[in-house]
Amino acid sequence: MFLINCPYCGERDQSEFTAGGEAHIVRPKQPTELSDDQWAEFLFMRKNIKGVQLERWNHAHGCRKWFNMARDTSNDRIHAVYKMGEKPPIK
Amino acid sequence: MSENLRITNNKFVDQTTRISFKFDGKILYGFKGDTLASALLANNIHLVGRSFKYHRPRGIMACGSEEPNAIVQVGNDASMTEPNTRATEIELYEGLEASSQNCWPSVNFDIGAVNNFFSPLIPAAFYYKTFMWPANFWKLYEYFIRKSAGLGKSPTEPDKDIYDHRYLHCDVLVVGGGVSGIMAAKTAAKNNLNTLLIDDKNILGGSTIYQKNECFKINNFYSNEWIKKEIETLNSLKNLIIKTRTSLAAYHSYNYLLARENLTDHLNLNERKNKIRQRLWKIRAKKVIIATGAMERPLIFNNNDRPGIILSSSIKKYIDYYGVKCGQKISLFTNNDSAYETAISLNNSGVNVNSVVDIRDKTNSLIVKQAEKLGIKIHWKSTVVNTSGYKKINSIEIMKLSDDGTAVVEKKIKEECDCLGIAGGWTPRVHLFTQSGGKLKFRDEDNVFLPDKSELDQISIGSCNGDFELDEIIRNSANSINKFLNLNNNDYENLEIISSKEIDKKNIWLLPSDKPLGKTKPFLDFQNDSTANDIKLALREGFKSIEHVKRYTTTGMATDQGKLSNMHALGIIAETAGVKMGELGTTTFRPPYTPLTFGAIVGRNVGEFFDITRRTPMHDWHVENKAKFENVGQWKRAWYYPIDNENMHEAVQRESKAARDSAGILDASTLGKIDIQGSDASEFLNRVYTNAWSKLEIGKCRYGLMLNEDGMVYDDGVTTRLSENHYLMTTTTGGAANVLSKLEDYLQTEWPELDVYLTSVTDHYGTVSICGPNSKKILSKIIPDLDLSDKDFPHMSFKNALIDNIKCRVMRISFTGEHSYEINIQSSYAKSVWEKCFEAGKEFNITPYGTETMHLLRAEKGFIIAGQDTDGTMTPVDLQMDWIISKKKYDFIGKRSLYRSDTIRKDRKQLVGLLTDDPKEILEEGAQIVAETNKQPIEMLGHVTSSYFSPNLNKSIALAIVKNGKKLKGQKLFVPMKNKTINVTITDTVFLDKENKRLNA
Amino acid sequence: MKNKYSIFSLIKNAFSYHENWQRAWRDPEPKNEYDAVIIGGGGHGLATAYYLAKKHNMSNIAVVEKGWIGGGNTGRNTTIIRSNYLWDASAGLYDHALKIWEGLSQELNYNVMFSQRGVMNLAHNLQDVRDLKRRTHANRLNNIDAVWLNTEEVKKFCPIINTSQDIRYPVLGGTLQRRAGTARHDAVAWGYARGADAMGVDIIQNCEVKGIKRNGDSVEGIETTKGFIKTKKIGVVAAGHSSVIANMVDLKLPLESKPLQALVSEPVKPIIDTVVMSNAVHAYVSQSDKGELVIGAGTDAYVSYTQRGSHDVVEGTLKAILELYPIFSRMKMLRQWGGIVDICPDASPIISKTHIKGLYFNCGWGTGGFKATPGSGDLFAHTIANDEPHKLNADFNINRFVSGDLVDEHGAAAVAH
């Protein structure tokens, strides 16, 4: 059970949060211009990194804010949390 | 009871309070403070169970959670019985009934023991090699295997006990209340750190609390006296919570730990009523100090499993703590100094120690010298090669070890005994440390795995960290605690400590015998009956990894999870394979540390607390009016309202007809309601719905379809423009929460530039829906000053209104195709408005209808239900709802996916209407649809999604999705059921009032 | 040639104190070159190698495994085997596997303890009922033996289920596939390993793949911790680690690797004689031959390669178990553990070629791969040997995520165990 430092509320138990998958996959601004392949890349293809992954979390049972997290998926260590729109603090 | 097995000068067992209990039906007596095990031993009962595979007689072997043999069934009440409980951990109480397991007809005469005779035929994993012929006999073989497997019996009635959860946050958690744990708790709490100290025993002090020996003294006190004073000082510390009878079950990441507190299992049966049985503590600790001590290892030699063979340190606890002699003529067998402590304790209590068999050449430590001074006989450089006695040990055979320890030499000596203490050294309890993700290192000199690296803020101290000598424990623990907590506590400096130091160490994982290995039975895992021979067999057959050996031989997989067997298994593997133990590693220690009651894990979340029940404001009215309810998500929705003895079909037919003929009333409060405000609200709706919203006039309503980004229909509902920048969106009942979080997600992460605010108002408003040709008249009675003319208040529009001066919103929208209104009003008023409508409608025979009728009525109109007529694979085009896809909008969620090579196929499965040739025949929802019935394999074109008998059309109707359905209108198809085939025809999806005349009727 | 296992061989070996048993498989060092290399020594990988050797005459092949064979999801799952899937493609795939299961112990001369004591899926709300009936109708037309049971029939088949209509989510019925059941997971890996080894397949354990060597659009071999191995065909069957291998060739897969947990109780005498699954309240349970209740929990929603999940998921699962089986409240959890499951967006697997010549992927089995082991191995072997999918796995290609032609099993089961 992670202890997650919500950038808005502080440290809270994992059970208050929901995970939202890989971060920084920007929804294409002009989807109609994309090929089926490119659209599938956005829609389904994931890096699924073993190591430090940038990912989205939502403080669903708290402030309801989405934010980003840098977490090592090989040991679950959280390296950083940062707000939506901010640059990743590492890498 | 046999008086002569009890000594009297003992403070831990209250020999003035006698307790009666039953074991295997026989009434016995013990004392308050006993465990079942100590009471049985005091009654000279050693044989308590049979082993898993060979059904060999087995006795009590240990005194705590590591006990592999003495596991019993407690209680025989169908709801309160508990299987597989360790006799060494059951505190004796008045009314305890326990019985042996895995034996029939009795533990003394067990038919299954024939397995022992066949044991040469059933080595490790024999079952993979046989039972394959004839092929279809496996079922029969399996029946017998299953019957003979398993240990105790599951309860067969629901548990009557209650369980509880509590959360606890602390600065420091100390696990284990022995010397080092007490030092840690005291140091932390004294320095203003909020501290929790837990211990699985009923008192603190570990094994030191009964250690009274000249060789272990602190500041001139016996160690037991010293620790008693330390414990007393704990009581005055304000920042300290002490939980005894509390076992740390699991150590998860981020210092999240689970501990189970036993609250009633030690009480007399009549004292337990209405009390919580167990509490699971969910602990989040800033820092964790593990002080869980060490377990004594057995020794592995031929026939080392007989009743009466007990760990030496347990014999010591039984005599020094419980005042129970495990025998009258006890022999001890050791590879280290600790057996001498037992020998001295026994000697001091007047028990005759035959001899100590020590595999070491000779040693001169303080404690050994003391034992020699007391005249205790020692067989140096010797080993036990065999034991005798079927149901209880009666003798051992001793031989000298060769110089290299691999063989035995010289003459065999037979020694009679009624108990054999075995001391194989100590294994630090590193289980919690490894559960938390910590990595271990191996110390060669005494063959122990010790905590090494950890990601978490934790330390291990005391013997679980490899400090086995009293002076080491105190000095190293004091230093570690100070360093870890960043303190300068000096309570434990300058203590004068006497502690016998072990000088010589020797270890032989598998002790040699005078017989060939194949003819011996050196047990490793006593409960699962795996022997050293099994380990060697696995290695011989190519099972190289320790995990393979464990799984192949089942070593370490019994209810003790290999607490006593794992180290020897590793040792023998390492030795046989010629690998260093440090390189071999260990198997994974999986939580929980000791088996954890399901009830404790679940706590109070059972029965009505299994899940939240959401009820509408009008719920009580529905109950009073005999509604049947349907679960929709967490909601209870009125399903139908039977009158007298109506069944569901009859009720629904009546309700459906009434709604179309005159008036019906539906509780629509469960629909999700999302309040959307902000200057970009219209643009936001443009992006999330497939149709266009910018031009929707204020005061008008519009139906919207929401897709997933993959183009498939996700949810639908009517959204109303309340003012320029203010909308009220409705969603499906089950989809409400997900829709809101999906919208928030897009808003916050993809479109943060939009000025939009979303608020769930589902619970804030109750919704009364009245429909039917008389709905207008009814509404006008309730809100007389509201202009209900079609011109002023047309279909798909909304008005603010007042009912008894309470503000409400009235939408003229329809899910039934009838002239219909929805009144949204603050929840607290919703029931009274409902009653008002019902009262006003009485003259029109207003009929309450439930979800089933609602589904029927909308199906007559061909309206879909997202989730019933769609299944995550349907696009709006598939639903024949092309009209709802805006051609002008550049983008909306899911748009791009509608133009992929598969989604633009013309022959996808599409929503159609279906009529049966026989109008009385009602199709089964979920039934498959085919074009040809006699071709194999039959191609399934689609399935029936919704099906009803329509009282308004007097025929059955259905919605279905059918491959290429749009083009197949009028086509005859078949619905093949189990016993018959139903002929159907594809039709339009709208069955009733295609011209929508009724909306304005 | 391997000695045959039987009661006679057991008796014979008993006379020599079992000291003359053969190795079940060799422990070879890798050769310089193989005709094909399978990455991943779980059940699916070993089965793939077995069928490549057995049906496609490819004996110069190796299985490389970074740890010990069968140590991943093969050894961590709850061993449920069934084929009552909704879509034709899935039904075809899983029933193909089920048919092989039915003769597998004899085929491998290794008792995998395939126990056909039925799998029941429960319905707890009206939509469950529709979905399960739909699936049962589809199963019947696909000649899969699943039937619908009403609540009384459910109770009769498994009397310990709480079928009271007063509970929070009462049982409204269920489906039963009698041919379905469980098997002994370790034995599957070991049986295939022994069988493959006998035909010359090299099983190389403790050999981690570090890189894939490419020449343009073709593969040339793999870099491993035991050196470079040349090969023109690579079959990746790495389950939770599929993306790790794919990332070595800059290939992105539609996968997320998530923790999935399971647990067992202490062993008790037979109390539940079938497998019961409930998606709505999320509980599934069976009893092993050893007597342990085997209980599967759900997945966590985040990516993790730690083989550890959150306690909340375990608590939620046991909550559901006690809702359906209040008699188990005093039973005790003996062991809990986690695996890493690679999940596709449509909850169906990928058994496919890729755009890189000679590189094949078998992944995305999510929470339900064990049941497919023999079929998956057979079809993947066919795909690798012929460089073309078999008709039974044609629909499970990677390209479906581009075209949109998914095999969406969510419709019938929110979780496709």
Side-chain angles (χ1 to χ4, degrees), chain B residues 174-182 184 199 289-293 459-464:
Chain B
V174 181
V175 188
V179 172
S180 53
I182 285 168
D199 194 277
I289 298 177
I290 304 175
T292 45
I459 49 164
S460 296
I461 56 172
S463 55
C464 72

Side-chain angles (χ1 to χ4, degrees), chain B residues 788-803:
Chain B
L788 296 180
S789 66
D790 285 344
K791 184 166 170 286
D792 198 60
F793 195 4
H795 180 57
M796 296 305 264
S797 63
F798 126 89
K799 276 180 184 258
N800 285 309
L802 292 174
I803 300 177

Side-chain angles (χ1 to χ4, degrees), chain B residues 52-54 115 118-132 138 141 144-146 148-149 528-529 534 537-538 541 543 551-554, chain C residues 4-11 13-14 18 21 109-113 184 187 190:
Chain B
F52 193 79
K53 193 163 148 189
Y54 306 128
N115 283 7
F118 289 114
S119 64
L121 283 185
I122 48 178
F126 71 98
Y127 29 78
Y128 299 130
K129 294 175 178 158
T130 182
F131 302 124
M132 287 179 283
W138 169 240
Y141 296 133
F144 288 105
I145 289 172
R146 287 168 75 86
S148 64
N528 269 354
D529 269 345
D534 292 327
L537 172 65
E541 291 192 85
F543 292 85
R551 284 155 178 265
Y552 196 63
T553 63
T554 74
Chain C
K4 200 168 166 4
Y5 287 159
S6 72
I7 182 70
F8 305 110
S9 66
L10 272 169
I11 294 169
N13 276 287
H18 301 283
W21 286 103
N109 179 229
Y110 207 91
N111 191 351
V112 299
M113 304 184 190
R184 174 82 196 128
W190 299 341

Side-chain angles (χ1 to χ4, degrees), chain B residues 867, chain C residues 86 126-136 411-412:
Chain C
L86 172 66
L126 297 175
Q127 191 55 41
D128 270 1
V129 172
R130 288 183 201 103
D131 289 340
L132 288 181
K133 282 190 172 172
R134 175 186 177 193
R135 213 166 81 184
T136 313

